[in-house]
């Protein structure tokens, strides 16, 4: 087994692999993984129901903890974002568990596809979970706790939600992939993720606070949307650069 | 090999620290508003800057580790981040004391630098648990490097975000060295140099200690006739490969 005699067939094999990799195309892979993830979630209903139920319970807890029947302004924005983030942590914790336990990682690594596809697909999956969560949590929040009407604030709020969801999805995917193959995965995930979520909370809560205030619901300040967008972009690049290293082996 | 220059570095650190403390207590003038308390500035700010730079350098070393796959870079990254964490803790404590003295509270939420520090400290506090939770040494090094790069990039982003979030900034008495009187600026620069030297020396000591310990272990195992590389136990610290052993067949002296 000298490396010289071994080299030509291996090289040829690698060339074929890279060609196949190019042919398959990253986006087709992303689509396939995304479809698989959503199908699994639809069949097992593991993450999204837990996340929504958690958010509803948290609103009730906040009602009793603060002893207030309605909130608005920065208090309302704070409650909304704390609840959404903690609910999203549940999804982050479960995101890669099936892949780690049922050999999904091995199957993916054996396939001749771009590895970043996994990051994109998983981040889109998590973003879809977050959207599903917010479809339930936002009306519930408006019904249970919010003192001001949600309607006029909705366009600005939706934009803030989209930007924050993107950031949470990217960071959550990176952290989930890091935490899932450690011994204390359920402990490490939230510990790693929460400090990284702090700038998102800052941007999202500050952007949402005036929208939920009694006086004049306006469009969120551009500087907070800019902060969120920039943070999403930078973390997207970091995750794209580093995700491959979490998948080797 | 690792201990080379350690003595000179230690001596110059002690000398620089002595000079810096001498300048702080006997040369630098008392600040008009805060008086003696302001002297903590000469310790607090250099600690803060050095630990921040340490975190970023830890990320850069981790990039080098991922590029070369040489475990020595991981070792350096680990040591630098470990030291920075200790310096960051000292920064938080000295910052708290300063805040208590000048604003009357141990903790001030509208001082963005303190708050950013706390967030960064909390993030880096998970670095060791992350390492500790991964048994395979190769994967531990790889994951730790990914963490170090992410967190190193997070440091400046977090500072910007937190600074944006404070509606008004406290009057920054001593924001930069440019508006300091000359004697204060000189004292600050000297103590900054001293603390940087202290950081470098401590890092070098830790590297040397780790390397020496692993070499002694390898030699002991060799004396007992076992394979040189010990089976790894659970550990958060990377263990360096014993490099400078005598070739096999000859007794290691």
């Amino acid at each position: 087994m000298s490396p010289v005699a071994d080299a030509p067939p291996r090289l040829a094999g690698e060339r074929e692999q890279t060609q196949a990799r190019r042919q398959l195309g990253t986006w087709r892979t992303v689509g396939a993984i995304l479809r698989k993830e959503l199908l699994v979630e639809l069949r097992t209903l593991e993450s999204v129901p837990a996340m929504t139920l958690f958010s509803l319970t948290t609103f009730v807890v906040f009602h009793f903890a603060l002893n207030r029947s309605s909130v608005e302004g920065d208090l309302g924005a704070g409650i909304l974002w704390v609840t959404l983030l903690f609910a999203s942590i549940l999804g982050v914790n479960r995101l890669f568990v099936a892949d780690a336990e049922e050999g999904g990682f091995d199957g993916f690594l054996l396939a001749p596809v771009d590895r970043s596809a996994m990051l994109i697909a998983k981040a889109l999956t998590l973003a879809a979970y977050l959207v599903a969560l917010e479809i339930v949590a936002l009306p519930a929040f408006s019904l249970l706790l919010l003192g001001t009407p949600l309607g006029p604030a909705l366009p600005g709020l939706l934009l803030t939600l989209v930007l924050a969801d993107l950031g949470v999805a990217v960071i959550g995917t990176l952290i989930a992939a890091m935490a899932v193959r450690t011994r204390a995965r359920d402990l490490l995930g939230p510990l790693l993720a929460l400090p990284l979520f702090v700038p998102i909370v800052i941007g999202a809560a500050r952007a949402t606070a005036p929208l939920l205030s009694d006086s004049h619901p306006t469009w969120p300040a551009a500087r907070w949307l800019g902060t969120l967008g920039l943070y999403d972009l930078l973390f997207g690049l970091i995750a794209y650069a580093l995700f491959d290293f979490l998948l080797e082996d | 090999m690792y201990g080379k220059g350690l003595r000179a570095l230690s001596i110059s650190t002690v000398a620089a620290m002595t000079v810096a403390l001498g300048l702080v207590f006997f040369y630098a003038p008392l600040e008009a508003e805060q008086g003696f308390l302001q002297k903590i500035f000469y310790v607090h700010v250099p600690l803060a800057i050095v630990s921040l730079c340490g975190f970023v350098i830890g990320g850069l070393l981790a990039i080098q580790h991922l590029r070369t796959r040489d475990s020595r870079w991981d070792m350096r990254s680990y040591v630098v981040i470990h030291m920075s964490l200790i310096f960051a803790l000292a920064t938080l404590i000295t910052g708290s004391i300063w805040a208590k003295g000048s604003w009357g509270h141990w903790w001030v939420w509208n001082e963005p630098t303190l708050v950013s520090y706390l967030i960064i400290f909390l993030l880096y506090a998970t670095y060791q648990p992350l390492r500790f939770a991964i048994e395979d040494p190769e994967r531990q090094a790889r994951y730790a490097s990914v963490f170090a790069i992410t967190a190193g990039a997070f440091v400046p982003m977090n500072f910007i975000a937190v600074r944006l979030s404070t509606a008004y900034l406290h009057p920054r008495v001593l924001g930069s060295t440019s508006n300091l009187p000359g004697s204060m600026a000189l004292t600050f620069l000297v103590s900054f140099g001293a603390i940087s030297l202290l950081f470098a020396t401590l890092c070098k000591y830790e590297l040397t200690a780790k390397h020496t310990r692993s070499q002694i272990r390898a030699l002991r195992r060799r004396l007992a006739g076992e394979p040189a590389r010990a089976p790894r136990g659970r550990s958060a610290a990377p263990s360096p490969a014993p490099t400078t052993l005598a070739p096999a067949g000859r007794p290691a002296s």
Side-chain angles (χ1 to χ4, degrees), chain A residues 174-175 177-184 188 191-199 202 206 223-224 227 230-231 234-235 238 242-249, chain B residues 66-67 69 119 122-123 126-127 129-136 138-139 142-143 145-147 149-151 153-154 157-158 161-167 234:
Chain A
L174 186 67
I175 294 303
M178 205 185 286
V180 75
R181 286 196 287 185
T182 61
R183 222 178 309 104
L188 270 178
L191 280 182
L192 288 167
L194 275 179
L196 295 175
F197 284 161
V198 167
I202 292 173
R206 298 295 162 101
R223 106 170 144 149
W224 299 122
T227 310
L230 203 62
Y231 196 68
L234 286 172
F235 249 95
I238 291 172
L242 293 177
F243 191 75
D244 283 10
F245 293 105
L246 298 176
L247 285 186
E248 285 170 16
D249 67 346
Chain B
L66 287 186
R67 279 176 59 189
R69 299 307 167 98
I119 299 166
L122 289 175
L123 177 64
T126 57
Y127 179 68
L130 173 71
R131 292 198 79 116
F132 196 62
I134 304 171
E135 263 152 52
D136 177 40
E138 194 271 331
R139 191 197 287 171
R142 200 148 37 79
Y143 278 38
S145 289
V146 170
F147 175 87
I149 297 169
T150 313
F154 174 73
M157 282 196 269
N158 177 55
V162 173
R163 196 159 276 257
L164 273 175
S165 81
T166 27
R234 275 173 63 170

Side-chain angles (χ1 to χ4, degrees), chain A residues 145-224:
Chain A
L145 279 177
L146 194 62
T148 57
L150 194 61
L154 211 52
L157 189 56
L158 287 182
L159 184 61
T160 316
L161 280 171
V162 167
L163 286 174
D165 284 355
L166 279 179
V168 170
V170 169
I171 295 172
T173 308
L174 186 67
I175 294 303
M178 205 185 286
V180 75
R181 286 196 287 185
T182 61
R183 222 178 309 104
R185 69 165 72 120
D186 297 337
L187 297 177
L188 270 178
L191 280 182
L192 288 167
L194 275 179
L196 295 175
F197 284 161
V198 167
I200 297 183
V201 177
I202 292 173
R206 298 295 162 101
T208 317
L211 299 178
L212 302 182
S213 71
D214 222 2
S215 50
H216 39 75
T218 45
W219 195 251
R223 106 170 144 149
W224 299 122

